[in-house]
């Protein structure tokens, strides 16, 4: 399972989109809440400063400058959190009272509001703190300035905002990571399902997907696929049964026709015998096709055949090559046999394996042009297995048709009308290979076709 497959999977993309959309919605909500609380905080702060200025005016009118200084001293002794800063100046902007050292340099806002920065001590080090202030005349030329630092509030809101933002990022990352692992798990389940299904299609059509180890949707899908496979198998079995019945029912009357034609041929003059010979040859071709069709059905149904536990393959291949050598020579094709292991053995039926090799060689000679060559190779592979390869220099088979040529009656479009046959040769070869628990593959020989048959080997006794 590749990383790209997980990232492209529907589950991961759905979870990633969901988590991203949710995070964007949470970020927008945080921005709205931050703006709302900031606006509310500064509105309350302005109102509180205005109320404090009103209190200073009342104290000055009632108790004069001395009472105002006493009020400011009392306020200075209050806890630091939420405390105001004050400055009383005269007409020459000289400090009269308050905890601000001097009239600071400030920026003017609308409606008499000003802002400035001052360095306050925090853990023994000066820190620039922003203040919001407003000044109002008290009378007699005195002016009162009330300021309030909002650094703590801004820091608090910033801390909350940063915490929520980090939590959102963490949620996004964890969500994507969780989506990745969820997608990987789901993809692994469906990949296992796909492997099982591919094994059924390629090797054992009677096998079914296991449902005991699956849960949820994969289990339902496996059950639905099993039902579909059962229905396909039933339909295929019906088609095979019809074709087998046709072949079986037509073989007997076709044999009678051939026998009658043979008897009729003996009573005709030589000029008429040639026409009868051609009809008999067509009958023989049909009978050969019917026999091959019935043989394939018998092999696919697992009919009993006596296996030789130690079949000597070099000798079998030598017999097949010797049989077809004159045919290849007449066509101008070089036929070579190469045996890598002269003791290679396998368990099997000699007649079936001989027919398998004969069909492969017949096809190779049929499609290899003059001056071409065919190599038949026998080798051993580990673990115990033997490999028979038939490689020709013919036109080959396109990659898209290599699976289809094993179907009954299938013929490559380019060969129709050019070469005789009914499209059963490779079907019979595959049936024989599968009956021997082997595997057959087609590959490009550059040029030509390379047919590789692997069969379970038998280790000869020492």
């Amino acid at each position: 399972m590749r990383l790209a497959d997980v990232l492209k999977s529907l589950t991961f993309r759905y979870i990633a989109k969901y988590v991203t959309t949710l995070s964007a919605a949470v970020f927008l909500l945080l921005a709205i809440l931050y703006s709302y609380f900031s606006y509310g905080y500064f509105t309350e702060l302005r109102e509180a400063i205005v109320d404090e200025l009103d209190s200073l005016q009342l104290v000055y009118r009632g108790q004069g400058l001395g009472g105002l200084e006493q009020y400011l001293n009392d306020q200075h002794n209050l806890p630091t959190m939420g405390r105001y800063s004050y400055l009383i100046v005269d007409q020459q902007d000289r400090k009269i009272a308050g905890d601000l050292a001097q009239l600071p340099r400030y920026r003017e806002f609308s409606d008499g509001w000003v802002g400035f920065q001052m360095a306050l001590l925090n853990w023994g080090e000066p820190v620039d703190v922003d203040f919001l202030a407003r000044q109002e005349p008290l009378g007699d030329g005195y002016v009162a300035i009330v300021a309030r630092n909002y650094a703590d509030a801004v820091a608090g809101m910033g801390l909350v905002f940063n915490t929520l933002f980090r939590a959102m990022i963490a949620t996004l990352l964890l969500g994507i990571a969780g989506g990745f692992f969820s997608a990987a798990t789901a993809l692994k389940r469906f990949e296992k399902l796909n492997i099982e299904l591919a094994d059924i299609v390629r090797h054992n059509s009677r096998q079914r997907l296991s449902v005991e180890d699956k849960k949820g949707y994969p289990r339902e899908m496996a059950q639905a696929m099993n039902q579909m496979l059962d229905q396909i198998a039933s339909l295929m079995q019906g088609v095979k049964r019809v074709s087998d019945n046709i072949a079986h029912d037509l073989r007997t009357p076709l044999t009678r026709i051939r026998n009658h034609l043979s008897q009729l041929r003996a009573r005709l003059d030589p000029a008429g015998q040639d026409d009868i010979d051609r009809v008999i040859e067509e009958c023989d071709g049909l009978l050969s096709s019917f026999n091959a069709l019935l043989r394939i059905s018998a092999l696919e149904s697992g009919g009993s055949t006596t296996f030789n536990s130690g079949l000597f393959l070099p000798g079998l291949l030598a017999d097949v090559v010797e049989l077809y050598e004159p045919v290849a020579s007449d066509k101008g094709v070089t036929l070579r046999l190469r045996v890598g292991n002269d003791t290679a053995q396998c368990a099997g039926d000699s007649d079936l394996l001989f027919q398998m090799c004969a069909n492969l060689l017949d096809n190779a000679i049929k499609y290899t042009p003059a001056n071409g060559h065919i190599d038949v190779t026998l080798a051993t592979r580990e673990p115990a297995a033997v490999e028979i390869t038939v490689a020709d220099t013919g036109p080959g088979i396109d990659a898209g048709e290599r699976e289809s040529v094993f179907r009954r009656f299938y013929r490559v479009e380019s060969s129709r009308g050019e070469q005789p046959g009914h499209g059963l040769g490779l079907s019979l070869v595959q049936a024989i290979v599968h009956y021997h628990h082997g595997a057959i593959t087609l590959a490009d020989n550059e040029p030509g076709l390379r047919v590789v048959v692997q069969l379970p080997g038998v280790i000869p006794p020492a």
Side-chain angles (χ1 to χ4, degrees):
M1 182 173 54
R2 299 177 302 174
L3 176 63
D5 295 334
V6 179
L7 297 180
K8 291 179 183 178
S9 65
L10 181 62
T11 303
F12 177 77
R13 286 185 292 167
Y14 174 79
I15 294 178
K17 288 180 181 179
Y18 174 77
V19 173
T20 303
T21 304
L22 180 63
S23 300
V26 171
F27 181 80
L28 180 62
L29 179 62
L30 288 177
I32 294 173
L33 291 176
Y34 184 81
S35 302
Y36 174 76
F37 285 116
S38 296
Y39 177 80
Y41 171 77
F42 282 102
T43 299
E44 293 178 0
L45 181 61
R46 288 195 297 269
E47 292 175 354
I49 291 176
V50 170
D51 291 341
E52 189 66 18
L53 283 171
D54 292 340
S55 299
L56 293 182
Q57 288 180 344
L58 290 174
V59 172
Y60 179 75
R61 291 171 186 170
Q63 302 179 21
L65 191 59
L68 186 59
E69 291 179 353
Q70 182 60 42
Y71 177 81
L72 296 182
N73 290 332
D74 294 339
Q75 293 296 317
H76 183 71
N77 293 328
L78 291 175
T80 303
M81 184 66 68
R83 193 179 66 186
Y84 295 97
S85 296
Y86 304 92
L87 179 63
I88 309 297
V89 297
D90 57 14
Q91 295 178 350
Q92 288 76 32
D93 291 337
R94 291 176 298 187
K95 177 181 177 179
I96 303 301
D99 55 348
L100 295 177
Q102 58 183 0
L103 187 63
R105 300 177 64 181
Y106 54 81
R107 294 175 299 162
E108 291 189 7
F109 302 124
S110 59
D111 300 330
W113 292 98
V114 298
F116 58 88
Q117 277 191 336
M118 288 187 62
L120 300 182
L121 292 178
N122 184 24
W123 300 99
E125 296 181 359
V127 178
D128 289 334
V129 178
D130 291 318
F131 283 81
L132 180 66
R134 185 180 180 88
Q135 59 182 8
E136 293 287 345
L138 296 176
D140 301 326
Y142 295 110
V143 176
I145 298 176
V146 177
R148 176 84 173 268
N149 84 74
Y150 54 87
D152 292 340
V154 171
M157 286 189 292
L159 178 62
V160 173
F161 181 80
N162 290 334
T163 302
L164 293 177
F165 182 78
R166 292 190 182 101
M168 182 194 69
I169 296 297
T171 301
L172 178 63
L173 295 177
L174 290 175
I176 292 178
F180 177 84
F181 287 110
S182 298
T185 302
L187 196 62
K188 187 176 181 181
R189 292 177 182 174
F190 286 105
E191 190 176 52
K192 182 180 178 182
L193 198 66
N194 184 45
I195 292 174
E196 291 182 19
L197 187 61
D199 185 68
I200 291 173
V201 172
R202 294 175 183 174
H203 300 104
N204 187 3
S205 59
R206 297 184 182 88
Q207 184 182 344
R208 291 297 177 261
L209 298 172
S210 61
V211 296
E212 292 78 9
D213 57 340
K214 297 178 179 61
K215 298 179 181 179
Y217 186 67
R219 181 186 180 93
E220 297 177 2
M221 180 175 288
Q223 291 174 339
M225 285 184 176
N226 283 339
Q227 293 176 358
M228 181 179 66
L229 289 171
D230 290 338
Q231 186 174 6
I232 292 174
S234 177
L235 294 174
M236 291 297 296
Q237 190 64 32
V239 172
K240 290 181 180 180
R241 191 180 299 113
V242 169
S243 63
D244 293 345
N245 290 338
I246 292 174
H248 185 272
D249 293 342
L250 290 182
R251 185 173 59 172
T252 300
L254 189 61
T255 303
R256 293 198 192 102
I257 292 174
R258 186 193 182 284
N259 294 334
H260 289 319
L261 288 172
S262 298
Q263 295 172 3
L264 179 62
R265 180 182 180 278
R267 296 196 297 267
L268 295 176
D269 54 27
Q273 289 180 354
D274 292 338
D275 294 333
I276 296 296
D277 288 339
R278 284 193 292 271
V279 176
I280 291 175
E281 185 178 351
E282 292 293 334
C283 290
D284 288 338
L286 289 174
L287 285 172
S288 177
S289 297
F290 289 158
N291 291 330
L293 194 61
L294 295 173
R295 193 69 179 273
I296 293 171
S297 298
L299 291 171
E300 289 178 345
S301 63
S304 60
T305 302
T306 303
F307 272 21
N308 187 341
S309 59
L311 184 61
F312 186 63
L313 289 178
L316 184 144
L317 285 177
D319 292 340
V320 177
V321 171
E322 183 180 359
L323 177 65
Y324 278 89
E325 207 161 21
V327 181
S329 179
D330 291 342
K331 194 176 179 182
V333 175
T334 303
L335 183 57
R336 296 175 295 196
L337 173 62
R338 298 176 180 176
V339 177
N341 184 353
D342 56 5
T343 61
Q345 298 181 18
C346 76
D349 180 87
S350 58
D351 292 336
L352 290 177
L353 292 179
F354 188 94
Q355 186 171 11
M356 176 195 76
C357 296
N359 282 11
L360 292 178
L361 266 182
D362 185 71
N363 277 346
I365 295 173
K366 186 187 301 182
Y367 291 102
T368 301
N371 300 321
H373 61 268
I374 301 172
D375 291 324
V376 180
T377 306
L378 175 63
T380 56
R381 295 288 181 262
E382 295 295 334
V386 292
E387 185 175 274
I388 301 172
T389 303
V390 178
D392 60 56
T393 56
I397 299 176
D398 293 337
E401 292 187 293
R402 289 173 188 167
E403 291 292 333
S404 301
V405 295
F406 292 111
R407 298 205 307 260
R408 297 183 184 185
F409 302 108
Y410 183 89
R411 299 191 66 195
V412 178
E413 195 65 32
S414 59
S415 69
R416 291 183 181 272
E418 297 182 4
Q419 298 292 344
H422 297 90
L424 292 172
L426 287 178
S427 299
L428 181 57
V429 168
Q430 186 188 53
I432 294 172
V433 171
H434 288 175
Y435 186 74
H436 287 81
H437 308 291
I440 180 171
T441 56
L442 305 182
D444 193 355
N445 196 42
E446 300 179 354
L449 181 67
R450 177 183 295 269
V451 183
V452 180
V453 175
Q454 284 193 346
L455 300 171
V458 174
I459 301 175

